[in-house]
Amino acid sequence: MFDTNNTPTVSLIADNRLKTSSTRNACKLCAPLGASLVFKGIEGCVPLIHGSQGCSTYIRRYMISHYKEPVDIASTNFSEESAVFGGGANFFTGIENIIQQYHPKVIGIATTCLSETIGEDVPGLIRDYTEQYSDASTPEFINASTPSYCGTHINGFQEACISTVAHYAQKNDCQDHINLFPGFVSPADIRHLKEIVTDMNIDATIFPDYSQTLDNVHTNEYELIPSGGTPVKRLQMTGNARATIEFGTVFNKGNSRKKSIHQVNSAGEWLETNCDVPRKALTLPIGIEATDRFFQTLAQLSGNETPAKYQAERGRLIDAYVDAHKYLFGKRVVLYGEEDLVIALTIFLLEIGMKPVLVASGATGGTIKKALAPYLNEADEPIVADSSDFATIRELMKDLKADILIGNSKGYYISREFKIPLVRLGFPIHDRLGASRIHHIGYRGTQELFDRIVNALIEYKQENSPVGYKYI
Ligand code: SF4
């Protein structure tokens, strides 16, 4: 699955896309990983993977190496016997063990390829367990159906968000608070969002909130379940919020194939359909235009102006755009990652005068091309590679004369081969420290990202210059 062999068996076809017989080193991760991230963003929750031990080991390994935190993910530890006769016995034992060891408030259960293939009835197992053993210590159970062969980690992420909201939301009289569902952003991004809503005097439920659970302070005593996460009480309040702001547009109505058992594409859509909470879907706020839209939406909902602090951040960002234009203009960029991230990044790169030449994602569905259409003219148009893998990206790059790569650390060996810089962002980042603290969004996140891109290009030029120089 994580093949790093970079000798592709691909052939170019007429429209410059590649025809492959297999996926090698996929540009996506597995669905229960996305669900586990969401469960780590609920207060007092332990994620449980209903399937083979290898699935949870892989998820743990990826999350630990990216977040540099201990990440406990339980597993029902399927064996050959469970694959034939069902995993009910393992499920019961797994739940008992988690309750005894962790005393969680919530257990978030995600299925795997195997448990979905054999048709495990997880809601039925939860019902049986609750009927037989329920007492005061029994936690709540949330179940997300996440067969990885039906989508990516982002599908798993969305599915867990929908299942959580569907489990908790209570429809009451509309109150003044809002819901803010940021999607798959970094812990630092979530902390930044909290700061913004506090500064704008907005009462917001941010979900999922793994800003602490996956980037915690050092404690003398090990916390079995790290503190932090969206409180259950706030999740119950999502049903009577004034509005939901949701980042990411790929999971809009009619955009992606409906994969959720709840027949909606996102948690915001579920609340709109079932609790009449209006939904505002925004592109991830990367770049000035997208961030302006986010602040305008907050201002409309709250009646409060964007605070001077953020207006100053915006002003400094514009100043930086002017200062660095000569280093960036026309530079050819290859970017890859989750659909919503690469859509937002492409729009941002066009805003700063760069030239995206390849936009790749492991997701299917043609949503990237559709979302980018209003921003591109024919001359600009990058190759958009859906269902992509790193072997395909590498092969396409042979003709693209790219100046820089932007994406997670899985593209490192390509940047090394083509001898171009790689700006690491998104998930996973296995080969650097501080992935949790990377800002991607808002004026502040854009500023950091902008500086990193400019400096990567300057550093590259300096390193490869035949003469040493100190001033630019
Ligand atoms: S859920 Fe499927 S894709 Fe994910 S690790 Fe398990 S077998 Fe692999």
Side-chain angles (χ1 to χ4, degrees):
M1 186 171 168
F2 305 109
D3 177 15
T4 52
N5 172 8
N6 53 14
T7 313
T9 52
V10 293
S11 58
L12 277 167
I13 55 172
D15 67 354
N16 207 25
R17 296 292 305 276
L18 296 167
K19 196 176 180 183
T20 61
S21 53
S22 62
T23 297
R24 283 148 325 117
N25 206 358
C27 190
K28 62 179 177 179
L29 303 166
C30 97
L33 184 150
S36 301
L37 275 160
V38 173
F39 294 143
K40 291 297 286 183
I42 300 171
E43 190 179 63
C45 181
V46 173
L48 168 65
I49 303 298
H50 189 45
S52 314
Q53 206 175 37
C55 303
S56 63
T57 304
Y58 145 62
I59 292 168
R60 270 200 307 268
R61 181 233 177 277
Y62 260 56
M63 286 170 66
I64 290 169
S65 129
H66 178 89
Y67 294 108
K68 309 285 190 273
E69 290 285 349
V71 178
D72 287 6
I73 309 268
S75 165
T76 50
N77 199 8
F78 268 42
S79 60
E80 290 84 349
E81 196 182 314
S82 343
V84 175
F85 299 110
N90 291 37
F91 182 86
F92 279 33
T93 310
I95 296 287
E96 285 294 307
N97 285 340
I98 296 171
I99 293 172
Q100 275 174 26
Q101 288 177 42
Y102 292 86
H103 310 292
K105 289 183 197 160
V106 185
I107 298 180
I109 303 154
T111 48
T112 62
C113 300
L114 177 56
S115 54
E116 288 284 344
T117 301
I118 65 169
E120 282 286 275
D121 175 15
V122 176
L125 291 173
I126 293 171
R127 202 173 44 244
D128 290 350
Y129 180 87
T130 313
E131 278 169 13
Q132 289 179 52
Y133 302 107
S134 186
D135 62 27
S137 68
T138 307
E140 299 217 35
F141 299 103
I142 304 168
N143 167 38
S145 167
T146 49
S148 220
Y149 43 77
C150 284
T152 70
H153 54 303
I154 297 300
N155 291 95
F157 188 100
Q158 294 291 346
E159 186 65 38
C161 287
I162 297 167
S163 300
T164 305
V165 166
H167 180 83
Y168 282 115
Q170 295 173 356
K171 188 181 175 185
N172 291 317
D173 290 343
C174 176
Q175 304 287 320
D176 223 26
H177 59 277
I178 65 163
N179 302 319
L180 180 50
F181 298 161
F184 187 14
V185 294
S186 73
D189 288 328
I190 298 174
R191 287 193 289 271
H192 186 41
L193 290 172
K194 286 181 179 177
E195 185 184 338
I196 291 172
V197 291
T198 305
D199 287 343
M200 290 194 71
N201 208 14
I202 295 171
D203 181 12
T205 300
I206 298 181
F207 171 67
D209 177 6
Y210 42 79
S211 61
Q212 234 183 303
T213 55
L214 291 175
D215 190 21
N216 221 336
V217 297
H218 177 75
T219 51
N220 287 335
E221 279 194 26
Y222 179 64
E223 291 183 318
L224 270 180
I225 301 179
S227 42
T230 311
V232 163
K233 189 168 176 302
R234 295 297 312 201
L235 291 167
Q236 291 165 345
M237 289 164 61
T238 54
N240 60 4
R242 202 141 63 83
T244 300
I245 298 177
E246 208 164 31
F247 293 159
T249 50
V250 163
F251 286 86
N252 275 349
K253 255 183 206 159
N255 232 356
S256 68
R257 187 162 55 87
K258 280 196 171 63
K259 297 183 185 80
S260 169
I261 52 168
H262 300 280
Q263 298 303 306
V264 290
N265 287 309
S266 72
E269 196 186 315
W270 190 93
L271 288 168
E272 190 171 54
T273 308
N274 295 281
C275 300
D276 303 322
V277 179
R279 169 181 186 254
K280 295 178 189 301
L282 301 175
T283 311
L284 268 170
I286 302 175
I288 287 177
E289 213 183 306
T291 307
D292 282 353
R293 268 199 299 275
F294 172 48
F295 274 98
Q296 280 157 11
T297 307
L298 290 177
Q300 277 163 12
L301 288 171
S302 65
N304 300 329
E305 296 253 307
T306 302
K309 168 176 151 186
Y310 299 101
Q311 288 175 13
E313 285 184 355
R314 184 183 189 278
R316 283 193 290 271
L317 179 57
I318 292 174
D319 192 48
Y321 277 18
V322 176
D323 293 342
H325 192 61
K326 59 188 172 188
Y327 304 113
L328 298 178
F329 182 75
K331 292 289 184 207
R332 299 167 69 83
V333 192
V334 168
L335 64 154
Y336 54 86
E338 292 91 28
E339 296 151 287
D340 274 317
L341 180 63
V342 295
I343 289 167
L345 284 171
T346 305
I347 298 167
F348 161 62
L349 294 173
L350 292 169
E351 182 177 273
I352 60 175
M354 296 185 85
K355 188 170 173 52
V357 289
L358 171 60
V359 179
S361 171
T364 52
T367 46
I368 298 177
K369 210 163 192 164
K370 201 167 147 191
L372 289 178
Y375 297 89
L376 297 170
N377 58 45
E378 224 168 274
D380 282 332
E381 209 158 310
I383 297 171
V384 175
D386 285 316
S387 307
S388 201
D389 59 21
F390 283 94
T392 309
I393 294 171
R394 174 187 173 274
E395 191 67 17
L396 285 167
M397 277 183 62
K398 286 180 180 168
D399 298 324
L400 289 175
K401 295 189 174 57
D403 296 297
I404 190 165
L405 268 171
I406 299 179
N408 57 54
S409 66
K410 290 181 80 180
Y412 169 65
Y413 73 90
I414 301 181
S415 85
R416 186 179 155 95
E417 181 188 342
F418 285 81
K419 296 189 173 33
I420 58 172
L422 165 64
V423 172
R424 289 165 177 80
L425 49 74
F427 181 96
I429 298 177
H430 294 315
D431 59 352
R432 288 289 184 278
L433 193 76
S436 303
R437 294 177 288 282
I438 296 177
H439 283 114
H440 301 82
I441 60 174
Y443 302 122
R444 194 179 303 169
T446 306
Q447 181 73 75
E448 287 181 19
L449 179 56
F450 182 82
D451 292 347
R452 289 173 63 213
I453 294 171
V454 178
N455 285 330
L457 287 165
I458 291 174
E459 190 179 328
Y460 174 78
K461 196 172 173 191
Q462 196 175 26
E463 295 274 302
N464 292 284
S465 165
V467 291
Y469 61 89
K470 289 184 283 184
Y471 297 100
I472 56 167

